Amino acid sequence: DIEDAKTYKLLIDGDALGVFQVESSGMRELLRKLKPSCLDDLVALVALYRPGPLNAGMVDDFIDRKHGRKRVEYPVPALEPILRSTYGVVVYQEQVMQIAQVLSSYSLGEADLLRRAMGKKKPEEMAKQKERFVSGAVKNGYDKDKADGIFELLAMFAAYGFNKSHSAAYGYVSYQTAWLKANHRAEFMAALMSIESANTDKILIYLTDCKRAGITILPPDVNESLRPFDVPKNARNTIRYGLGAIKGIGDAAVDAILDARVEAGGRFRDLMDCLDRLDLKRVNKKVLENLI
């Protein structure tokens, strides 16, 4: 559900560790400031969080307009449908193309050439495009000076413009991962830590995040643990530490432990029973020391 209240609360709180594209400290801070309330906000955030828009003050402008601290204004009323979802700020390359279509009757092919010219900033190409843009706007009944101003505004924004189709795909995956974390937190974090099992620093960050959210972390156990981090069926707010994330164990040793548990009657009764049943070619002294 792309209008899930729990997901937006998680994003508004900046509780986004492990959430695709928005888990950096800068992004989490921006989420707290922006307080996204719809998918469009998240898509725009992915596009705006880059050095250009940040340094140009576009991000602050976007946030202030969203929260009513600044008026949302459109260069001309006809552009409202194109710029409404971004509060009057030109964020995407596609918006530049649509504005050229609406104001100056560009074809889609011409609009794409305009987008490319603005991105490359070649003076002679820009001069040609400006002439085409302004004459098209005047033909459609717009004031020449106003059309001039809009072209300059677009040229400024185009330097920072992002491709919306790209940003929308990223923003949607951000939303999906946020939804999983908001609605199935223990399972999501267990999957995340399993993926990052070789990265001790990341594991530590995610374990701290789990504990802060009230998830119980059970220690690794030769009788209970699987290779990945796992959520026990009878305790859904609990994560059992995975054998694969213990330093110095290795895949072969994990397989040997799991095989011994399955093949020879389940749980190990004690240390000697464990040593008797393990394949010691795969589980050597160093591995046993690390397990202990």
Side-chain angles (χ1 to χ4, degrees):
D1 173 15
I2 60 164
E3 291 173 7
D4 179 55
K6 279 170 81 174
T7 304
Y8 286 107
K9 180 169 184 341
L10 177 127
L11 291 167
I12 288 164
D13 291 345
D15 182 10
L17 273 174
V19 175
F20 182 67
Q21 285 287 301
V22 294
E23 75 167 329
S24 70
S25 56
M27 263 297 201
R28 283 182 283 132
E29 181 58 33
L30 209 48
L31 283 170
R32 285 188 278 267
K33 284 185 188 169
L34 175 66
K35 300 181 172 28
S37 55
C38 60
L39 191 56
D40 274 334
D41 286 349
L42 201 54
V43 172
L45 193 67
V46 171
L48 287 168
Y49 191 68
R50 293 173 299 123
L54 285 166
N55 295 335
M58 280 171 70
V59 180
D60 292 332
D61 196 26
F62 185 91
I63 291 169
D64 287 342
R65 288 179 181 217
K66 175 178 169 61
H67 295 298
R69 293 187 289 269
K70 269 189 186 173
R71 264 182 65 200
V72 175
E73 293 177 308
Y74 306 102
V76 292
L79 301 187
E80 185 182 343
I82 298 168
L83 298 175
R84 192 188 300 123
S85 71
T86 52
Y87 312 106
V89 180
V90 181
V91 174
Y92 308 114
Q93 293 173 350
E94 286 90 339
Q95 287 173 318
V96 171
M97 293 167 69
Q98 285 176 297
I99 289 167
Q101 278 184 285
V102 168
L103 290 190
S104 308
S105 301
Y106 272 63
S107 70
L108 274 173
E110 284 181 304
D112 193 46
L113 291 174
L114 170 69
R115 175 197 64 78
R116 219 177 304 170
M118 285 184 165
K120 288 184 176 160
K121 294 196 196 69
K122 286 187 178 164
E124 57 200 66
E125 185 57 36
M126 285 293 278
K128 259 192 250 168
Q129 287 291 348
K130 185 171 184 177
E131 194 181 316
R132 162 73 184 90
F133 183 92
V134 173
S135 65
V138 169
K139 203 180 284 180
N140 286 335
Y142 292 99
D143 175 73
K144 182 179 183 301
D145 289 345
K146 188 78 178 168
D148 244 5
I150 292 171
F151 185 87
E152 294 307 330
L153 187 74
L154 289 182
M156 183 187 85
F157 277 122
Y160 309 122
F162 201 71
N163 181 293
K164 186 177 184 179
S165 50
H166 182 88
S167 196
Y170 269 36
Y172 188 51
V173 178
S174 300
Y175 181 85
Q176 287 176 314
T177 48
W179 185 92
L180 286 168
K181 187 173 182 181
N183 290 279
H184 304 281
R185 191 175 192 118
E187 290 85 351
F188 177 74
M189 295 306 290
L192 202 57
M193 290 190 290
S194 298
I195 291 164
E196 296 288 358
S197 58
N199 187 337
T200 315
D201 293 343
K202 271 268 176 91
I203 294 282
L204 196 58
I205 291 167
Y206 292 149
L207 284 174
T208 306
D209 192 59
C210 289
K211 287 171 186 168
R212 186 186 53 74
I215 294 171
T216 304
I217 304 293
L218 299 172
D221 185 315
V222 287
N223 275 323
E224 301 288 349
S225 290
L226 303 175
R227 182 195 305 279
F229 287 80
D230 184 48
V231 178
K233 283 189 171 59
N234 59 350
R236 304 311 284 176
N237 203 38
T238 302
I239 295 175
R240 170 73 69 182
Y241 206 97
L243 293 175
I246 303 170
K247 266 197 162 170
I249 303 297
D251 285 349
V254 173
D255 287 340
I257 294 163
L258 298 176
D259 290 348
R261 239 166 50 191
V262 171
E263 288 164 13
R267 298 172 70 85
F268 302 113
R269 290 188 303 282
D270 52 36
L271 180 59
M272 285 315 296
D273 180 48
C274 183
L275 296 178
D276 281 342
R277 286 161 54 190
L278 286 175
D279 175 357
L280 298 178
K281 289 193 189 75
R282 292 187 286 170
V283 183
N284 59 25
K285 183 183 169 193
K286 187 80 185 139
V287 168
L288 287 164
E289 285 172 356
N290 284 328
L291 283 170
I292 291 163

